[in-house]
Amino acid sequence: VVNPLLVDGFKFDLRIYALVLSVDPLKIYLYDEGLARLATEPYQAPTPDNLRTSTMHLTNYAVNKRSANYVHADEGGMVPGAHQGSKRLASAVLQQVA
């Protein structure tokens, strides 16, 4: 992706939770809140020098949890309307990118 959508300069992903009750007929329930995970290094376009900086290009918790830049949820990310933290409510991130 040449120009990825960023939140506060960081790559992110969204986890949206669904319950598939039936496939025929199709019946799916979506949970009204999801989770956003952010990288812990500000995004820069990939170059040979930063390509291995996984905390810039990946949003996985397993990759970022040991980063010095990781901001824990109890520091403000997982409360309604919070716009900080390496994990945030999906609704807060969607408000930012809208």
Side-chain angles (χ1 to χ4, degrees):
V1 175
V2 177
N3 189 18
L5 183 61
L6 304 175
V7 170
D8 298 331
F10 296 90
K11 288 179 77 174
F12 71 98
D13 69 17
L14 294 173
R15 288 206 167 184
I16 307 299
Y17 300 97
L19 171 65
V20 178
L21 219 52
S22 167
V23 292
D24 190 21
L26 185 60
K27 192 170 192 176
I28 301 174
Y29 289 94
L30 292 178
Y31 187 66
D32 60 355
E33 187 59 83
L35 174 70
R37 301 179 304 173
L38 282 73
T40 53
E41 294 288 331
Y43 177 76
Q44 297 174 12
T47 66
D49 292 334
N50 73 18
L51 196 56
R52 295 194 181 270
T53 307
S54 58
T55 54
M56 177 188 304
H57 300 292
L58 301 175
T59 59
N60 306 58
Y61 174 70
V63 170
N64 286 284
K65 68 181 178 183
R66 290 186 181 85
S67 168
N69 297 326
Y70 186 85
V71 179
H72 291 272
D74 61 355
E75 296 172 22
M78 294 299 291
V79 295
H83 298 289
Q84 55 201 0
S86 298
K87 284 187 180 181
R88 304 178 189 179
L89 295 176
S91 60
V93 169
L94 290 172
Q95 287 176 350
Q96 281 187 269
V97 298

